[in-house]
Amino acid sequence: MIFTLNDIALLVVVLLAGLVLGMMMSGRGKYKRAWHDEQAAHRQTIKDRDARIAAADARMVEMERRPAVVAPAAVAGTAVAGSAVADSDHGRDDLSRINGIGQTQETVLNEAGYHRYAQIAALNAEQEGAIEARLGLKPGTIAHEDWRQQAHALDTDTSRGGLFGRSATPV
């Protein structure tokens, strides 16, 4: 019987695969114990992750129950700051509808106590500067992008509830 080079290569591959499988199955359960240990470690990691998520959820619920804290440097001594805390319990406007405000900037504005379009529309120059510094914007960006006018238009708009800012058409 004559073996070709392909037959010899296939035989070597099969013998090596058998050797590797044999080594894995032997070892008096060493690899099986290692596998079970790895499974136990994975289960513990999953439990730890779930516990961290539950703790984070509990912290979020607790933070949502507390009244909003207004940063003194951003809105010190303004009448809008007091109304920001009062309005935070009654809901929030989607400030990201204002051109130039993204989701992260909206979050920062909410943390600063700005939740309503009326609050943005009532900003003065000092407050604009403080907000621009807090958001990391160039000075004059709020005035250039005309946030106050956009906020005023959105505040007076009665069709805010529709999809993509469109009013619902009666059927």
Side-chain angles (χ1 to χ4, degrees):
M1 176 174 210
I2 299 175
F3 290 107
T4 64
L5 189 56
N6 287 340
D7 292 337
I8 293 172
L10 181 63
L11 183 62
V12 168
V13 168
V14 168
L15 287 175
L16 286 175
L19 178 67
V20 169
L21 286 173
M23 289 174 65
M24 287 175 58
M25 291 185 170
S26 69
R28 291 176 244 165
K30 178 172 90 173
Y31 297 106
K32 190 174 186 179
R33 280 192 304 273
W35 182 65
H36 285 296
D37 292 344
E38 183 66 28
Q39 279 186 328
H42 179 68
R43 275 190 240 110
Q44 184 61 39
T45 302
I46 296 295
K47 286 179 185 176
D48 291 344
R49 182 203 62 194
D50 292 342
R52 283 193 317 267
I53 289 172
D57 287 342
R59 282 193 311 267
M60 286 174 43
V61 167
E62 178 62 31
M63 290 177 79
E64 288 174 352
R65 287 184 185 155
R66 284 190 255 160
V69 177
V70 180
V75 289
T78 62
V80 176
S83 64
V85 175
D87 285 345
S88 66
D89 295 334
H90 302 294
R92 299 177 176 170
D93 290 330
D94 184 10
L95 298 179
S96 65
R97 290 183 64 196
I98 297 174
N99 291 334
I101 298 180
Q103 292 294 329
T104 55
Q105 292 173 330
E106 179 183 14
T107 303
V108 172
L109 286 170
N110 287 335
E111 289 171 356
Y114 294 97
H115 305 285
R116 297 279 185 191
Y117 296 130
Q119 294 171 314
I120 301 296
L123 290 176
N124 60 32
E126 182 182 330
Q127 292 169 328
E128 280 184 6
I131 290 173
E132 287 167 345
R134 187 175 184 131
L135 294 175
L137 300 173
K138 292 188 299 184
T141 302
I142 292 176
H144 176 71
E145 292 179 352
D146 205 17
W147 286 12
R148 288 189 286 186
Q149 180 61 29
Q150 292 180 54
H152 179 69
L154 288 168
D155 189 40
T156 58
D157 185 14
T158 58
S159 63
R160 284 191 286 201
L163 181 64
F164 301 114
R166 297 184 185 118
S167 62
T169 54
V171 178

